[in-house]
Amino acid sequence: PDQTAKVMNIKRLHGFGALVAVSGLNGDEKIVVEGKQNLRPGAKLRIAEPAVADNGKSHKKGKAE
């Protein structure tokens, strides 16, 4: 709740592509996936929104010349 890093022992149960199932968490924790090499227990974290791929659907519409 105070956005600080904490070491947790978890176990990977199953992975499928970018998704993974783990045990050892309560369910309300967030897992650091980028920049973890710089983490220290008790460090303050900034939670970023996940990047979402638009699959090329964000084309600008305009007049043809």
Side-chain angles (χ1 to χ4, degrees), residues 11-63:
K11 181 179 180 183
R12 180 179 177 208
L13 301 174
H14 178 73
F16 184 76
L19 303 176
V20 65
V22 300
S23 66
L25 298 174
N26 295 325
D28 57 346
E29 301 93 345
K30 295 186 187 267
I31 299 173
V32 175
V33 295
E34 289 186 21
K36 58 189 177 284
Q37 69 276 8
N38 298 320
L39 274 182
R40 303 291 179 266
K44 289 290 184 182
L45 302 174
R46 179 180 53 89
I47 308 300
E49 293 298 318
V52 177
D54 67 359
N55 295 327
K57 296 178 183 173
S58 64
H59 298 291
K60 293 183 179 180
K61 293 181 180 179
K63 294 181 182 178

